């Protein structure tokens, strides 16, 4: 198997969610694995001086039109959350804690988080939501509760986010194939071409 | 023939240039005409609080990698200009002045401007460049020089830019099909699908 590809995303990014429905299949088609790496766009915004889309004049209105249109085109179930975007620290911490035990379980959890936010309009900024979602998967409530407040887990997420930024990640989704960066759900066709051809 | 589609762009936008190499053919395929509407992203930046890509931390570096990569994928000749981006008031004024006489000549001029900036690294912020490019097409130098300083021509461009912003245009390229807006060279496949299907 060739080197895995990195799939960076923010749990509250619709375009990240869209890419999450395609990335594993796309990677597998070319004998790769996709390593999911949730991160916090809020941390990027501080460095890049950028911010969430909705309040940006003109661009925000367009985004709120483009996002559901993109979902319909892909056939991905989607409902704009009533609070959008929001911080997503608890599910990120839970993801890496689960990942260090079992990467497949972590992906399963991530899919549940996307579902909770983009279909069920749940508040994923709250620890309770993460605990409920993990418990639905059979994770012990006390264990996940403790993990969310564990300093090592907090540090693990911080390190991941710092490393992502160091690697140039500034948006969601952000996919890296053999060192080559691609930003946006609208670059998935280029990701595929890069996987297929090795670059151009 | 069905209603024309609007093709907004900034002369110093590489993605606008890329789209310009495809848009007429794409429109014609579905029995449409593409109306070219150069505008000034600088005016948008003031309203949206955004700015040019290169100085934005992380995102700027990515853009400078994505742009030539996108050009190679499309097979569009491209060289990053030594000053990028820049203001493009003179070619915009000349475009609308030509357009009001002969829209096809205006498109021919626009292609020459893109060529001058993205292949020959010429300074298209200067009136002299616009005068030279127009003269190469057989336009009288005195006439085009006078037009660039004509208050009615200045007003014409201002009105176009104001109207574009009122319609929600905030980036380049920005394509409107039957009232439906699409931003980015990476939305051309969606533009095509919209033309083909009438929406989804």
């Amino acid at each position: 198997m060739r080197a895995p590809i990195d799939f960076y995303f923010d749990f509250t990014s619709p375009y990240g969610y869209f890419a999450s429905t395609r990335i594993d299949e796309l990677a597998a088609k070319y004998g790769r694995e996709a390593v999911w790496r949730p991160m916090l766009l809020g941390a990027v915004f501080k460095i890049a001086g950028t911010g969430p889309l909705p309040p940006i004049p003109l661009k925000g209105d367009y985004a709120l039109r483009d996002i559901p249109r993109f979902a319909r085109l892909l056939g991905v179930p989607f409902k704009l959350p009533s609070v959008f975007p929001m911080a997503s620290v608890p599910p990120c911490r839970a993801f890496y804690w689960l990942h260090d035990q079992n990467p497949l379980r972590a992906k399963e959890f991530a899919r549940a988080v996307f579902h909770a936010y983009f279909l069920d309009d749940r508040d994923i900024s709250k620890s309770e939501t993460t605990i409920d979602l993990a418990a639905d998967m059979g994770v012990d409530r006390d264990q996940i509760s403790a993990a969310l407040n564990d300093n090592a887990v907090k540090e693990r997420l911080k390190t991941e986010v710092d490393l992502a930024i160091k690697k140039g990640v500034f948006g969601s989704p952000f996919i890296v194939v053999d060192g080559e960066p691609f930003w946006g759900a609208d670059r998935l066709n280029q990701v595929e071409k890069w996987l297929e051809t090795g670059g151009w």
Side-chain angles (χ1 to χ4, degrees), chain A residues 153-193:
Chain A
V153 173
K154 290 180 185 177
E155 203 51 41
R156 174 86 165 83
L157 173 58
K158 203 181 164 313
T159 305
E160 282 288 338
V161 172
D162 289 349
L163 196 64
I165 290 170
K166 199 178 272 180
K167 286 190 174 177
V169 177
F170 63 87
S172 168
F174 197 99
I175 295 152
V176 183
V177 182
D178 303 332
E180 190 71 21
F182 297 89
W183 169 47
D186 41 33
R187 285 290 180 282
L188 283 177
N189 58 340
Q190 293 195 14
V191 168
E192 171 147 24
K193 204 171 174 73

Side-chain angles (χ1 to χ4, degrees), chain A residues 26 30 188-200:
Chain A
L26 181 57
Y30 297 95
L188 283 177
N189 58 340
Q190 293 195 14
V191 168
E192 171 147 24
K193 204 171 174 73
W194 201 271
L195 285 166
E196 191 187 338
T197 63
W200 58 84

Side-chain angles (χ1 to χ4, degrees), chain A residues 2-8 23-24 26-28 32-37 175-178 191 195:
Chain A
R2 301 179 61 197
I5 68 174
D6 287 315
F7 169 49
Y8 296 92
I23 196 71
D24 282 333
L26 181 57
R32 307 280 193 126
E33 191 196 343
V35 178
W36 290 31
R37 299 187 181 278
I175 295 152
V176 183
V177 182
D178 303 332
V191 168
L195 285 166

Side-chain angles (χ1 to χ4, degrees), chain A residues 67-134:
Chain A
I67 291 164
R69 186 176 66 192
F70 208 134
R72 293 196 304 273
L73 181 64
L74 296 175
V76 172
F78 174 81
K79 212 180 76 188
L80 191 72
S82 48
V83 179
F84 168 71
M86 59 170 63
S88 58
V89 174
C92 279
R93 285 186 188 155
F95 178 91
Y96 286 108
W97 178 73
L98 285 166
H99 181 84
D100 292 344
Q101 301 165 49
N102 183 337
L104 287 180
R105 290 279 276 169
K107 280 193 190 182
E108 183 189 345
F109 171 75
R111 287 196 190 90
V113 174
F114 278 133
H115 194 287
Y117 188 57
F118 288 117
L119 274 82
D120 301 335
D121 197 12
R122 290 169 71 177
D123 183 348
I124 63 163
S125 71
K126 287 185 179 164
S127 294
E128 292 72 49
T129 310
T130 282
I131 295 166
D132 287 344
L133 292 172

